[in-house]
Amino acid sequence: MVDDPEAPALELRGLTKSFGPRRVLDGVDLTVAHGSVTAILGPSGGGKTTVLRIIAGFEVPDSGTVAIDGVTVAAPTVNLPPERRRVGVVPQEGALFPHLDIAGNVGFGLPRNDDRADRIAEVLDLVGLPGIQRMRPHQLSGGQQHRVALARALAPRPSIVVLDEPFSSLDAGLRAQVREEVLAALQQARTTAIIVTHDQQEAISVADQVAVLLHGRIAQSADPVTLYEEPGSLDLATFVGEAVVLPGEFDGKHVRSGLGVLDVHLGGSRPAVGPVYVVVRPEQIEIGDCEQEVGGMVTSRIFYGHDGIVRIRLADGSIVTARVQAARLPAPGSAVAVSVRGPVSVFEAVPEVTV
């Protein structure tokens, strides 16, 4: 395989895939830059793993193309086998071979030559596990097994590493730690990585680019901040993170809703003047004294330790959710003033069709 230094690390164009009558992928387009971490985010059963398997060569697309470093590896007349694609795969739960020691696992895809032992030691050191070659998988913690699985994927020096829900089997405390360790190893190796996940928090916290797969297509691909603060559709706004959705009236610059007159994100496309849906993040909603005061009544609260959630009924009957510091959690039944910090997103309200 001859790499094109000007080409992206990965380029997917028009991928489709059906299993029986069900179309799982319906024209997937995605470009991944060299050395970046991209998260493919979507609901369970939405086709994320199918995209990963097509990239790795384990599935053949019905149509569309896959190019790695400018070389087409899948197309209507091309299907390069997995071993020739230079794609390292980290499956769910690591999937280490229990009958092999760590050296055998990490070196499984390496040729048996004089450099093999050196490369095994090099990648184990890269993932922070030097000197464990003679140990067995059952002697390692869950987090260590994940890092060994990453070392095995990195050992053949792949162009791309794909990770399929790599942290889903770990408990919450260990998941954050292992995620940081794996990300650090990928950055040190300067390897292009694609992480498949259904966890929104995980995707936006680790990736340079998040590609949201909804209804068989990439609904939006952007950096995490842009995706969260300026989603391209109402579906995206409600899928990525928590969202308060209210009806409103847009005048071209501002929107009026039960939360008062609010500033609007005006980047990209904007809806026509008139009825819209207003999307506000819970952390944007502030309670207490403010310049644009809107009255409300606290209906319930949930304490999380470092912060909490407060549900508030506004004067027009709308219910909104605010995320506030734990020390400022008002009691149910309290009257509060409500304001919104920063601009909000608005989306055209599609009229209901009656039949």
Side-chain angles (χ1 to χ4, degrees), residues 4 14-16 29-30 70 106 170 232 237 240 251 294 305 332 342-343 345:
D4 178 358
L15 288 186
T16 67
D29 296 324
L30 180 64
V106 174
L170 302 174
V240 180
D251 66 7
V294 173
S345 297

Side-chain angles (χ1 to χ4, degrees), residues 10-280:
L10 174 72
E11 191 169 22
L12 310 180
R13 288 290 173 262
L15 288 186
T16 67
K17 183 66 179 180
S18 297
F19 295 98
R22 179 170 175 253
R23 175 158 284 198
V24 177
L25 305 180
D26 191 25
V28 170
D29 296 324
L30 180 64
T31 300
V32 176
H34 287 279
S36 65
V37 176
T38 294
I40 299 179
L41 172 66
S44 297
K48 306 182 301 297
T49 296
T50 300
V51 174
L52 181 151
R53 290 177 59 81
I54 288 174
I55 294 169
F58 303 146
E59 292 282 356
V60 179
D62 296 334
S63 61
T65 62
V66 178
I68 297 174
D69 291 334
V71 177
T72 300
V73 299
T77 58
V78 177
N79 183 32
L80 216 60
E83 63 272 15
R84 294 182 56 196
R85 294 195 180 193
R86 293 173 57 195
V87 175
V89 179
V90 180
Q92 291 186 34
E93 302 183 16
L96 300 180
F97 303 118
H99 63 288
L100 296 179
D101 61 15
I102 301 307
N105 270 280
V106 174
F108 186 77
L110 295 177
R112 296 188 175 276
N113 55 32
D114 293 341
D115 297 330
R116 187 172 186 269
D118 290 342
R119 181 56 180 165
I120 291 170
E122 181 181 354
V123 291
L124 284 174
D125 187 61
L126 181 67
V127 300
L129 295 172
I132 66 164
Q133 284 89 328
R134 299 277 71 88
M135 296 179 71
R136 297 277 177 168
H138 73 270
Q139 296 175 286
L140 305 180
S141 68
Q144 289 172 326
Q145 289 182 29
H146 275 70
R147 285 187 279 160
V148 170
L150 177 61
R152 181 176 61 188
L154 291 172
R157 294 182 173 87
S159 295
I160 299 170
V161 172
V162 293
L163 302 93
D164 186 9
E165 301 277 7
F167 316 113
S168 59
S169 64
L170 302 174
D171 62 62
L174 186 59
R175 187 182 304 136
Q177 175 188 335
V178 175
R179 192 165 57 211
E180 291 178 6
E181 292 168 346
V182 167
L183 185 62
L186 289 169
Q187 290 172 336
Q188 187 174 345
R190 298 180 181 176
T191 300
T192 305
I194 299 171
I195 298 177
V196 164
T197 181
H198 67 274
D199 186 324
Q200 295 102 333
Q201 184 179 26
E202 182 173 281
I204 64 178
S205 64
V206 306
D208 303 304
Q209 171 183 231
V210 180
V212 183
L213 182 64
L214 295 176
H215 313 301
R217 297 188 177 192
I218 300 297
Q220 186 174 358
S221 179
D223 66 90
V225 173
T226 299
L227 182 68
Y228 186 77
E229 295 186 351
E230 301 182 52
S233 70
L234 184 60
D235 274 354
L236 280 161
T238 55
F239 181 74
V240 180
E242 299 177 43
V244 175
V245 182
L246 299 171
E249 192 76 19
F250 182 51
D251 66 7
K253 289 186 177 181
H254 302 91
V255 63
R256 181 178 294 276
S257 73
L259 285 167
V261 178
L262 308 176
D263 294 332
V264 174
H265 284 294
L266 295 178
S269 61
R270 67 183 70 178
V273 170
V276 292
Y277 292 116
V278 183
V279 174
V280 186

Side-chain angles (χ1 to χ4, degrees), residues 226-344:
T226 299
L227 182 68
Y228 186 77
E229 295 186 351
E230 301 182 52
S233 70
L234 184 60
D235 274 354
L236 280 161
T238 55
F239 181 74
V240 180
E242 299 177 43
V244 175
V245 182
L246 299 171
E249 192 76 19
F250 182 51
D251 66 7
K253 289 186 177 181
H254 302 91
V255 63
R256 181 178 294 276
S257 73
L259 285 167
V261 178
L262 308 176
D263 294 332
V264 174
H265 284 294
L266 295 178
S269 61
R270 67 183 70 178
V273 170
V276 292
Y277 292 116
V278 183
V279 174
V280 186
R281 298 300 184 185
E283 62 272 16
Q284 288 184 267
I285 299 177
E286 298 182 330
I287 59 175
D289 297 331
C290 49
E291 294 180 3
Q292 295 180 338
E293 292 190 359
V294 173
M297 182 73 69
V298 175
T299 62
S300 64
R301 65 181 185 180
I302 303 174
F303 177 66
Y304 291 123
H306 49 78
D307 64 7
I309 288 291
V310 179
R311 289 186 174 86
I312 304 165
R313 179 181 288 109
L314 303 177
D316 67 355
S318 301
I319 300 293
V320 299
T321 301
R323 184 177 292 277
V324 299
Q325 294 178 353
R328 300 185 61 207
L329 283 176
S334 302
V336 294
V338 183
S339 68
V340 176
R341 182 181 67 254
V344 301

